[in-house]
Amino acid sequence: MGSENEISPADAHRAPGKEQQAAGVGILLQIMMLVLSFVLGHVLRRKKIYIIPEASASLLIGLIVGVLANISNTETNIRAWFNFHEEFFFLFLLPPIIFQSGFSLAPKPFFSNFGAIVTFAIFGTFLASIVTGVLVYLGGLVFLMYKLPFVECLMFGALISATDPVTVLSIFQELGTDVNLYALVFGESVLNDAMAISLYRTMSLVRSHPSGQNFFMVVVRFLETFVGSLSAGVGVGFISALLFKYAGLDIDNLQNLESCLFVLFPYFSYMLAEGLGLSGIVSILFTGIVMKHYAYSNLSQSSQKFVSAFFELISSLAETFVFIYMGFDIAMEQHSWSHVGFIFFSIMFIGIARAANVFSCAYLVNLARPDHRKIPLKHQKALWYSGLRGAMAFALALQSVHDLPEGHGQTIFTATTAIVVLTVLLIGGSTGTMLEALDVVGGDDNLNDSSLASLGPTANYEGNNGYIAPSYEEEESSSSGNKIKMKLKEFHKSAASFTALDRNYLTPFFTSHNGDEDDEAVEPFTSTRSFTSSRSGFHGQSPYASPYSP
């Protein structure tokens, strides 16, 4: 028996060389797929072929290469280089995608719609995850689909509630749309990642420690994860802003140091949260938001250009690679395809949960807004349709394979992968037609670059469907006895109060300019220089500008 496992001296000398060769071939094929994805995406964009979005193209390339590798006699040690470990995914691919999501938020549209975005992202995501989990559990009870324990159904509901509307946002940018609709879709997709991962981790803790877990403790666990991670991210962002404000690094011979430090802070935030047992993803997301709003303006002009281009570059590479890997994974990995019913009914249930999220939250938001600022029904339908699943859902499903035993995690991973692929290919491919049918893209009533730049911190946009920056000093509702309405108005008023607090105190304290100098904060989003954001699909013009605008 022992002699069978012995390696001859000749094999021992050949093994390292063959391993190095296999590594080279594997990495070469990955680079070729990335190059092909970017070239194909560029061609599709130039030809205005919206039926095959860039994300779909990357996914299809991975799927085709995976099928070819699976049916060929490719050596095992070469194929191994296609399958990266989840540590690589969570440590190197996901952080730049999530950081760029927060870093690329436009401050004015985001904070002008802050109350609505928080309602959709926090309350709406919680509602969607609970509805999905309950429906999946009930489906198992009546034998419609594979039966999972209730807590595991809630874990699935949490992870599948993370949206990634990269296709919708890219079409918004290409065709032009209302600035508020763009802010709602993008803002919700950014913040609901944080909510989804906090809910998933909370449910995972409940599952691993079932004894002594009552509802109060579950809420405490959730707040500990979410608020703790948020605080770590915001704290690191504020520290970085003060460092770049007072350290005097914006002189010529220190600009390389300035850029290096700026690039390191996001990973510092991520690792700090992970080291404290919190969520690094939530932490790095809010670090991105704070660093863009406060630390970015303290950099020299050349460093600003460098860090913007750097984060856009690595996030674009990372997200393209994620979609390639998802396609490749379908062909190469062993999936629980026997549970087709679980996949089919899960797709139906997440559609129902998404509707519950969007329409209930829009109803609550509209209660607190006057008629000319309400979210129109066609915008609500666009929000519902934009609920594609992407990198975050895939990442959490990948984590569930290790968190859940007895093949349950594999079933969830298979279902999530199928849902991501189907939403990206089918729904993503029909997005352009659907959005044009809803009449929410194109047209002449969209905000252009100059009008966005001219909006003041408290400006009201009163266009056709404009509902930006609600004013609460005019129009006290006649139905003041309605307690729900008054509570909602107070909540939305607090968002406006935060805008004033930021303008009058936070911005002057953490940045080198006062709160009235808003042009710098808006400039990255309104300049006409070429840039690319993988998450939002920005390509060379303001995401809020209609291409038909002058």
Side-chain angles (χ1 to χ4, degrees):
M1 290 293 290
S3 61
E4 292 179 3
N5 296 325
E6 291 178 0
I7 301 175
S8 66
D11 291 335
H13 287 290
R14 274 199 306 267
K18 290 200 73 174
E19 187 66 30
Q20 186 174 0
Q21 181 185 12
V25 173
I27 294 173
L28 174 64
L29 290 174
Q30 293 175 16
I31 293 173
M32 288 172 62
M33 286 191 289
L34 282 170
V35 171
L36 182 58
S37 295
F38 283 115
V39 171
L40 183 57
H42 174 69
V43 171
L44 292 171
R45 201 162 56 245
R46 286 194 64 180
K47 299 293 185 182
K48 299 187 183 299
I49 302 175
Y50 301 125
I51 196 171
I52 307 177
E54 294 171 64
S56 301
S58 301
L59 195 146
L60 287 172
I61 288 171
L63 181 62
I64 293 169
V65 173
V67 170
L68 293 176
N70 211 21
I71 63 177
S72 66
N73 293 322
T74 308
E75 293 187 34
T76 304
N77 51 1
I78 294 178
R79 291 172 61 181
W81 277 92
F82 284 93
N83 300 320
F84 56 85
H85 299 288
E86 69 175 71
E87 288 83 5
F88 175 74
F89 187 86
F90 280 101
L91 294 179
F92 296 102
L93 291 182
L94 206 56
I97 295 173
I98 302 301
F99 177 80
Q100 178 63 15
S101 297
F103 193 70
S104 59
L105 278 178
K108 286 183 179 177
F110 177 76
F111 286 110
S112 295
N113 292 280
F114 184 73
I117 289 171
V118 169
T119 303
F120 281 106
I122 305 299
F123 174 73
T125 303
F126 176 78
L127 179 63
S129 63
I130 296 298
V131 170
T132 303
V134 170
L135 289 177
V136 169
Y137 180 70
L138 293 176
L141 287 181
V142 297
F143 305 104
L144 283 177
M145 56 200 300
Y146 184 69
K147 184 178 180 181
L148 292 174
F150 184 62
V151 175
E152 294 180 13
C153 290
L154 293 177
M155 291 174 67
F156 175 68
L159 70 89
I160 207 64
S161 296
T163 61
D164 186 9
V166 57
T167 301
V168 179
L169 292 170
S170 65
I171 292 175
F172 279 176
Q173 186 269 330
E174 293 286 344
L175 299 180
T177 190
D178 182 86
V179 64
N180 299 283
L181 176 59
Y182 195 103
L184 285 177
V185 174
F186 189 36
E188 185 216 358
S189 71
V190 169
L191 294 185
N192 95 326
D193 283 348
M195 184 68 178
I197 195 170
S198 298
L199 284 172
Y200 177 84
R201 289 202 169 194
T202 302
M203 292 299 107
S204 181
L205 284 172
V206 171
R207 184 196 163 275
S208 58
H209 302 89
S211 58
Q213 295 283 356
N214 54 33
F215 179 76
F216 176 75
M217 289 303 299
V218 171
V219 173
V220 169
R221 292 280 186 184
F222 168 76
L223 292 176
E224 178 184 349
T225 302
F226 185 80
V227 177
S229 303
L230 184 153
S231 302
V234 170
V236 171
F238 280 145
I239 291 171
S240 70
L242 292 174
L243 172 67
F244 292 115
K245 180 178 180 180
Y246 293 110
L249 300 175
D250 56 346
I251 56 178
D252 290 340
N253 59 340
L254 290 178
Q255 287 177 0
N256 286 340
L257 174 62
E258 184 182 45
S259 299
C260 289
L261 287 173
F262 196 93
V263 169
L264 289 175
F265 266 104
Y267 266 104
F268 174 77
S269 169
Y270 184 89
M271 296 305 172
L272 174 65
E274 290 292 329
L276 295 174
L278 303 170
S279 169
I281 296 298
V282 176
S283 179
I284 199 172
L285 168 64
F286 286 97
T287 298
I289 295 173
V290 173
M291 288 186 72
K292 184 54 181 278
H293 196 51
Y294 299 107
Y296 182 81
S297 61
N298 294 331
L299 301 179
S300 62
Q301 189 173 5
S302 61
S303 295
Q304 287 182 355
K305 292 179 179 178
F306 171 78
V307 296
S308 293
F310 176 78
F311 287 122
E312 288 157 9
L313 170 67
I314 61 172
S315 65
S316 179
L317 284 170
E319 188 151 41
T320 301
F321 193 77
V322 167
F323 279 105
I324 289 174
Y325 174 71
M326 282 192 282
F328 191 86
D329 176 81
I330 294 173
M332 297 292 289
E333 297 294 329
Q334 293 184 346
H335 290 279
S336 302
W337 296 116
S338 57
H339 304 302
V340 177
F342 188 90
I343 298 172
F344 175 77
F345 285 105
S346 294
I347 293 174
M348 290 182 57
F349 294 156
I350 64 173
I352 295 171
R354 178 70 181 168
N357 171 355
V358 170
F359 296 113
S360 62
C361 289
Y363 174 76
L364 293 175
V365 170
N366 284 342
L367 280 179
R369 291 184 168 184
D371 290 339
H372 64 285
R373 297 193 184 100
K374 294 184 186 298
I375 302 175
L377 182 59
K378 64 181 182 179
H379 285 190
Q380 297 177 35
K381 293 177 181 177
L383 275 166
W384 174 79
Y385 201 78
S386 65
L388 308 182
R389 270 57 179 179
M392 178 55 72
F394 180 77
L396 292 176
L398 193 65
Q399 181 69 44
S400 72
V401 175
H402 301 277
D403 292 342
L404 303 179
E406 303 167 5
H408 292 182
Q410 191 64 44
T411 300
I412 288 176
F413 181 56
T414 300
T416 304
T417 305
I419 290 168
V420 170
V421 171
L422 289 173
T423 56
V424 169
L425 291 180
L426 299 182
I427 299 179
S430 62
T431 296
T433 304
M434 177 61 69
L435 295 179
E436 287 177 347
L438 291 172
D439 193 28
V440 296
V441 292
D444 299 324
D445 60 333
N446 301 314
L447 294 181
N448 56 28
D449 286 348
S450 58
S451 62
L452 176 65
S454 66
L455 284 175
T458 58
N460 293 317
Y461 171 65
E462 307 211 7
N464 221 5
N465 288 318
Y467 44 93
I468 200 167
S471 170
Y472 300 92
E473 296 171 5
E474 52 182 85
E475 287 196 42
E476 286 295 330
S477 174
S478 59
S479 57
S480 56
N482 190 325
K483 292 184 179 180
I484 298 178
K485 253 188 153 179
M486 293 305 294
K487 290 291 183 183
L488 289 169
K489 283 184 178 294
E490 289 174 11
F491 173 73
H492 283 274
K493 187 182 286 188
S494 67
S497 300
F498 173 77
T499 303
L501 173 68
D502 170 60
R503 185 176 66 257
N504 296 328
Y505 299 101
L506 296 180
T507 297
F509 182 76
F510 287 106
T511 67
S512 303
H513 58 84
N514 59 47
D516 296 327
E517 298 173 359
D518 294 313
D519 291 340
E520 277 188 293
V522 178
E523 179 273 329
F525 305 96
T526 58
S527 67
T528 55
R529 70 176 186 271
S530 175
F531 58 94
T532 302
S533 172
S534 65
R535 176 86 169 194
S536 54
F538 300 170
H539 296 285
Q541 67 177 42
S542 167
Y544 311 103
S546 168
Y548 311 110
S549 302

